[in-house]
Amino acid sequence: MTIVKHELRLNRVAFWIWSGVLAFLLAVCVFLYPEMKGEMDQMGDLFASMGSFTEAFGMDKLNFGTLIGYYAVECGNTLGLGGAFFAALTAAAALCGEERNKTAEFLLTHPVSRTRIAAEKLISVLLRMVAMNLVVFAVSAASVAAIGEEIPWKELCLLHLAHCLMTLEIAGICFGLSAFLRGGSAAVGLGVAVLFYVMNLFANITEKLSFLKYLSPFAYCDGGSIVADGKLDWPKVAIGLGIAAAAVIAAFWYYPRKDIH
Amino acid sequence: MEAIKTVGLTKYYGKARGVENLDLTVEQGEFFGFIGPNGAGKSTTIRTLLGLIAPSSGSASVLGMDVTKDRTAILRETGYLPSEAVFYGGMRVREVLKLSADLRGRDCAAEAARLCERLQLDPTAKVGALSYGNRKKVGIVCALQACPKLLILDEPTGGLDPLMQREFFNILRERNEAGTTVFLSSHVLSEVQRNCARAAVIRAGRVVACDSVEALASAGAKRVTVHGAVDLSGLEGVRDRKDVGEAVSFLYSGGMEALLKTLAAGQVTDLNISEPDLEELFLHFYEGGAEQ
């Protein structure tokens, strides 16, 4: 586990910045809730009457008057996009970052198989994703308690579980791409995250493109459905994790064969 | 068993040539020089030996193990110093050395401390703040601390001051005397000539000469400088001819009798015949004079 430890140590600053900022933003949202509560009913009417815009952001199924309704939208915006970007940037740089930073010649000339390097790097990426989600979840739950509201455990857990799965899926896909890239991993990673986000928006707006919901992990993070159904959309989760697993397998197949320049 | 053996080793990057039909044999325990101009294929050869890139065709083995199949086992016995040593920013020298040892599953703290002292490397310094020469020293300690059977060094002395270079080669000689094979890739001829017993010259992806350093330097050729008037037009084996005033200087690889007859037929006022140094030979290979 030398490489896992080394990776966690090397990336600890980026991890704490991303986790801290996302947790802080969600905490701010929660602390704003008591103030917004009174105005929420009118705001809810407003949000509900924005036509396809409302649907695009999944606000048609939510009750803004409740804490969890409000939180589901904020969580989707902040942790959804922020988490996706963190996952994409982290995983896309995992393998090819060594080549870009010219440290590959150091790491890959030690007696460690490429498969083990890929495995330890993947473990380190996944650990950071889970840890980031746990930090954000803990701060959010504590913030809800701090404003004196009852913590809606079930919905809160489901929302954060969905977002955790999404970051794992995006991390898996970008990790797969990382094996094939040589440089420019940040652009590719962010591109993947934005593509999935836009795919979900389009899928929400028009029926014709609704099949995109099965491809974008943002679909199973839709706070409205999770709160309304009281469960995750497991078939979509399974498809997403399947795609991620395929990308990871491709990385493990290709990386040991890759020419390192 | 050979420390390094390549047979018909060929590597193409797309359409660009790396090395072509490269045959090279380095015996265990040798101090071997690998010389050639930039872009000749030295680094491609080394990267293939280390399993960083796969050969397009041909084969290569290190310590009797195949470079594609036994990559990890080869790396366990090999220390490598890249020409441009780059480490993870934010780490201290001590941490980089420890990481390198951990990746080998070894505790090399004692040897690392000895090497740091001899090379005057501060283990508490941050690698990001180090000069080129000091980064090179970190690379040297990483390559040597686990006492591997084979050392592959790519342009090792860049950035090191002359005193450090001397200490570095002292360490290499000690290791070599203790049985370590040293494979030194360089374009600094004097260090190859001073330190290596055998050397290969690589040009345009092929080995154009491989012999003991002494034999390479002479290669049957002498540097002949003649003052006076001689007609060299009928003489075979003359190359690298320079005319300076009434003197003419050339590398001669033909028969001595023919040379003496030619000189006797002319008006020679002074004559000097000496061994050429590797530099001359090397330039000659650079200029593509001999496709052997």
Side-chain angles (χ1 to χ4, degrees):
Chain A
M1 290 292 111
T2 304
I3 299 172
V4 173
K5 256 170 38 192
H6 167 64
E7 286 279 312
L8 293 179
R9 190 183 173 283
L10 209 59
N11 294 292
R12 65 193 188 283
V13 175
F15 169 80
W16 283 113
I17 289 175
W18 276 95
S19 303
V21 167
L22 291 177
F24 173 75
L25 289 174
L26 276 184
V28 168
C29 289
V30 172
F31 281 110
L32 284 178
Y33 178 70
E35 225 174 283
M36 311 274 282
K37 205 172 177 180
E39 302 157 31
M40 269 302 156
D41 290 333
Q42 298 151 10
M43 299 244 314
D45 291 342
L46 177 68
F47 284 142
S49 60
M50 291 190 295
S52 56
F53 194 77
T54 310
E55 287 167 27
F57 290 93
M59 295 187 292
D60 47 337
K61 296 171 203 137
L62 285 169
N63 179 1
F64 284 85
T66 64
L67 171 74
I68 194 65
Y70 166 82
Y71 184 79
V73 172
E74 295 306 337
C75 182
N77 290 340
T78 313
L79 184 56
L81 265 181
F85 285 165
F86 176 52
L89 287 172
T90 304
L95 293 174
C96 67
E98 299 277 350
E99 284 171 82
R100 194 188 51 224
N101 301 330
K102 297 187 173 178
T103 45
E105 245 187 349
F106 173 82
L107 182 63
L108 273 58
T109 52
H110 281 85
V112 184
S113 73
R114 298 236 191 128
T115 306
R116 194 181 126 196
I117 291 174
E120 292 206 27
K121 280 183 170 270
L122 178 65
I123 291 169
S124 128
V125 168
L126 298 183
L127 277 178
R128 275 177 276 164
M129 293 307 122
V130 172
M132 181 275 288
N133 278 285
L134 284 175
V135 168
V136 173
F137 175 73
V139 171
S140 288
S143 306
V144 173
I147 60 167
E149 293 278 336
E150 195 181 329
I151 301 173
W153 282 114
K154 188 186 170 195
E155 290 85 354
L156 196 68
C157 288
L158 283 174
L159 275 172
H160 281 270
L161 175 63
H163 283 89
C164 185
L165 291 169
M166 179 195 69
T167 50
L168 293 179
E169 178 185 336
I170 291 181
I173 291 169
C174 290
F175 183 84
L177 289 171
S178 180
F180 294 86
L181 296 172
R182 292 207 188 276
S185 63
V188 174
L190 290 181
V192 168
V194 171
L195 177 74
F196 281 144
Y197 187 72
V198 173
M199 273 162 67
N200 184 49
L201 290 188
F202 284 153
N204 281 342
I205 293 168
T206 85
E207 269 302 308
K208 276 184 202 159
L209 295 174
S210 62
F211 69 93
L212 291 175
K213 281 191 180 214
Y214 290 94
L215 297 175
S216 169
F218 285 94
Y220 60 73
C221 287
D222 176 37
S225 307
I226 294 173
V227 173
D229 301 346
K231 65 181 176 66
L232 294 192
D233 192 341
W234 287 108
K236 286 194 186 112
V237 172
I239 291 171
L241 294 184
I243 295 171
V248 167
I249 290 169
F252 274 88
W253 175 81
Y254 181 70
Y255 193 59
R257 291 165 174 76
K258 188 182 190 183
D259 273 1
I260 306 294
H261 297 309
Chain B
M1 186 175 52
E2 297 92 356
I4 295 172
K5 187 175 175 68
T6 71
V7 180
L9 182 69
T10 302
K11 177 66 186 179
Y12 271 87
Y13 302 104
K15 282 185 179 167
R17 170 202 50 77
V19 292
E20 208 166 20
N21 267 321
L22 187 106
D23 295 322
L24 185 70
T25 305
V26 179
E27 297 296 332
Q28 277 200 58
E30 276 199 276
F31 204 131
F32 192 91
F34 194 46
I35 30 185
N38 297 330
K42 297 194 299 289
S43 289
T44 300
T45 308
I46 289 176
R47 299 175 84 80
T48 313
L49 295 176
L50 295 165
L52 289 170
I53 54 178
S56 305
S57 66
S59 68
S61 64
V62 174
L63 299 165
M65 298 176 275
D66 185 84
V67 291
T68 42
K69 289 187 208 125
D70 309 313
R71 181 158 54 192
T72 311
I74 288 173
L75 294 174
R76 200 166 292 130
E77 308 291 351
T78 307
Y80 169 56
L81 172 63
S83 59
E84 200 185 335
V86 180
F87 305 100
Y88 302 96
M91 290 179 83
R92 292 184 188 281
V93 171
R94 191 195 315 115
E95 293 162 343
V96 171
L97 301 179
K98 171 86 166 52
L99 173 66
S100 176
D102 287 347
L103 288 169
R104 290 180 173 276
R106 302 268 299 270
D107 179 5
C108 310
E111 187 58 27
R114 260 195 299 276
L115 289 166
C116 283
E117 200 180 321
R118 285 185 75 171
L119 294 168
Q120 295 168 22
L121 176 64
D122 175 10
T124 61
K126 289 244 182 195
V127 283
L130 291 180
S131 66
Y132 176 52
N134 277 324
R135 257 188 295 134
K136 203 89 190 187
K137 291 182 193 173
V138 181
I140 293 170
V141 180
C142 281
L144 270 70
Q145 64 174 354
C147 301
K149 284 185 187 162
L150 170 66
L151 282 169
I152 296 183
L153 314 164
D154 194 0
E155 308 285 352
T157 49
L160 295 184
D161 62 52
L163 280 177
M164 269 310 131
Q165 289 189 20
R166 201 169 63 183
E167 186 59 20
F168 171 60
F169 278 108
N170 284 343
I171 297 171
L172 289 186
R173 260 194 300 275
E174 288 164 23
R175 290 292 175 93
N176 182 240
E177 280 159 17
T180 305
T181 310
V182 182
F183 184 81
L184 171 74
S185 161
S186 177
H187 56 230
V188 183
L189 294 152
S190 54
E191 68 186 25
V192 171
Q193 194 159 20
R194 257 201 316 273
N195 297 289
C196 300
R198 278 207 320 142
V201 182
I202 178 171
R203 196 175 68 84
R206 289 168 188 269
V207 171
V208 291
C210 181
D211 210 331
S212 73
V213 169
E214 279 167 19
L216 272 180
S218 58
K222 306 282 177 196
R223 166 64 59 184
V224 182
T225 308
V226 186
H227 292 258
V230 283
D231 178 18
L232 298 173
S233 56
L235 193 63
E236 299 253 320
V238 173
R239 57 177 195 257
D240 191 29
R241 178 178 168 158
K242 290 171 200 150
D243 289 275
V244 187
E246 60 149 11
V248 56
S249 171
F250 55 92
L251 275 176
Y252 180 67
S253 52
M256 269 305 135
E257 209 180 318
L259 175 67
L260 291 174
K261 274 185 184 159
T262 307
L263 293 177
Q267 299 272 311
V268 179
T269 56
D270 194 7
L271 172 65
N272 188 333
I273 300 179
S274 60
E275 296 287 329
D277 61 17
L278 208 49
E279 192 92 26
E280 282 182 302
L281 173 98
F282 193 50
L283 287 173
H284 155 65
F285 281 122
Y286 268 20
E287 288 151 12
E291 290 280 2
Q292 291 176 20

